[in-house]
Amino acid sequence: MKGAIVLAAGNSRRFGSDKRKAKLSNGKMILESALEKALYNFEHVILTLRHDDQTIKEEFKSRYKEAALTIILAPDSAMGMGHSLANSFSKVNGWEGAFVCLADMPNIQDHTFKKLVHQLTPNHIVLPVHRGHQGHPVGFGRDFFDQLSALRGDIGARGLLAANSYAVKEIDVSDSGVLQDIDLPEDIVSSDP
């Protein structure tokens, strides 16, 4: 089984408010759109929220109660993305691979997910590339789960990618959504499908 971790444990400092709740033109919250993409494309999804997101956890648990979804409150989320990833990967069980999907990137196309999932093996890392630029989601084979569970700090998995460059498979995709993250309110307009 290959699953997805939807990482939504950041603080949205540049956005000015909780961007996860900002609405797209389809009427859905950014987080909701990203989560539904993951649920559609993966057998199981872990949604990782901040340590104090009990209200969002309960709301989404109720809304998606029929889905193969685990929602966690990352106890170390305030210490950075590396800690949130480690908290997430400690909950992965029995997966061959996992894709880290960022909650502020709701415009990735289904065909891109399918292409990336097809390329992921237990001993590889897959990385989408659009017009020469690396994007997201990044897929990690199970051979890297222990390293991911040990991450710390706020740089995420960049160091792990550099240390394991021999295992990285760059996959060319035509989907600009792999590069479109929403950091500022004006990014919603420019990236909205």
Side-chain angles (χ1 to χ4, degrees):
M1 174 174 72
K2 295 171 185 171
I5 292 168
V6 177
L7 207 53
N11 287 314
S12 311
R13 287 184 188 99
R14 285 180 284 177
F15 196 82
S17 61
D18 191 345
K19 70 178 168 184
R20 301 171 302 173
K21 296 179 181 180
K23 298 280 175 104
L24 298 170
S25 63
N26 63 9
K28 294 184 179 183
M29 293 183 289
I30 293 170
L31 173 56
E32 185 180 12
S33 291
L35 178 61
E36 288 178 2
K37 285 270 186 181
L39 288 169
Y40 180 77
N41 287 287
F42 294 93
E43 297 171 61
H44 193 87
V45 175
I46 294 173
L47 172 60
T48 304
L49 300 170
R50 294 191 297 249
H51 70 282
D52 59 351
D53 277 334
Q54 189 64 41
T55 303
I56 295 175
K57 179 181 179 181
E58 293 306 319
E59 177 188 342
F60 277 63
K61 194 167 139 184
S62 172
R63 188 180 304 174
Y64 299 102
K65 60 181 169 238
E66 303 300 320
L69 175 64
T70 301
I71 304 174
I72 68 165
L73 300 179
D76 303 328
S77 61
M79 298 172 75
M81 185 187 289
H83 284 81
S84 296
L85 279 168
N87 293 155
S88 303
F89 274 92
S90 71
K91 302 298 183 191
V92 171
N93 189 13
W95 296 9
E96 292 174 33
F99 281 82
V100 176
C101 303
L102 304 181
D104 65 354
M105 296 187 74
N107 297 320
I108 300 165
Q109 301 300 309
D110 294 332
H111 64 84
T112 301
F113 282 116
K114 287 176 181 34
K115 184 174 186 175
L116 295 171
V117 167
H118 180 71
Q119 294 290 327
L120 184 61
T121 62
N123 59 347
H124 280 102
I125 299 168
V126 298
L127 192 64
V129 176
H130 178 70
R131 295 186 178 170
H133 298 281
Q134 295 178 340
H136 291 277
V138 179
F140 297 91
R142 72 170 164 244
D143 291 1
F144 302 96
F145 289 2
D146 287 344
Q147 292 176 61
L148 288 156
S149 295
L151 290 175
R152 299 291 178 262
D154 198 30
I155 59 166
R158 277 181 268 173
L160 187 150
L161 289 169
N164 296 284
S165 59
Y166 66 91
V168 175
K169 293 191 331 190
E170 292 189 341
I171 311 298
D172 282 319
V173 298
S174 60
D175 180 3
S176 63
V178 302
L179 304 177
Q180 296 173 351
D181 62 331
I182 297 172
D183 287 328
L184 302 168
E186 52 267 29
D187 294 337
I188 292 175
V189 175
S190 62
S191 73
D192 224 356

